Amino acid sequence: MSLDWTALGQVAAVSLAVTVAVVAVFALGVLGLARSEGAREEGGGTSTPGLTQAGLRFVACAAVVAYGIFLIVPQFN
C-alpha cells in the first residue's frame, strides 16, 4: 500500500485555507451587522450598505457549505 503524501498535504492545505477564509468572511458579516446596529442605536438610521454586505457575506458562507455538502453526499453526484 502506498500513500501519496503530497496529495494528502495539498488536501490539508486547501482545507485549512478554505476554513480560514469562510471564518473570516463570516466574521466580516457579523461586523457589518454590528456596525449597522450601532448606527441604528445612535439614531442615524439603518446602514443599508452594511446590511447588504453582511447579507452577501452570509450567502457566500452558505454557498461554500452547500458546495461542500454537494461534494460529500454521493446521491448528488
Side-chain angles (χ1 to χ4, degrees):
M1 185 169 124
S2 175
L3 187 62
D4 187 1
W5 289 101
T6 305
L8 182 62
Q10 288 174 346
V11 168
V14 169
S15 297
L16 180 65
V18 170
T19 300
V20 169
V22 169
V23 169
V25 169
F26 188 82
L28 289 172
V30 171
L31 178 65
L33 282 177
R35 286 187 177 170
S36 174
E37 185 70 25
R40 188 172 64 181
E41 287 178 0
E42 291 178 2
T46 59
S47 173
T48 304
L51 288 175
T52 303
Q53 289 175 2
L56 289 174
R57 288 177 177 142
F58 292 143
V59 167
C61 289
V64 169
V65 170
Y67 183 64
I69 292 172
F70 171 77
L71 290 176
I72 291 171
V73 177
Q75 287 86 4
F76 294 149
N77 293 325

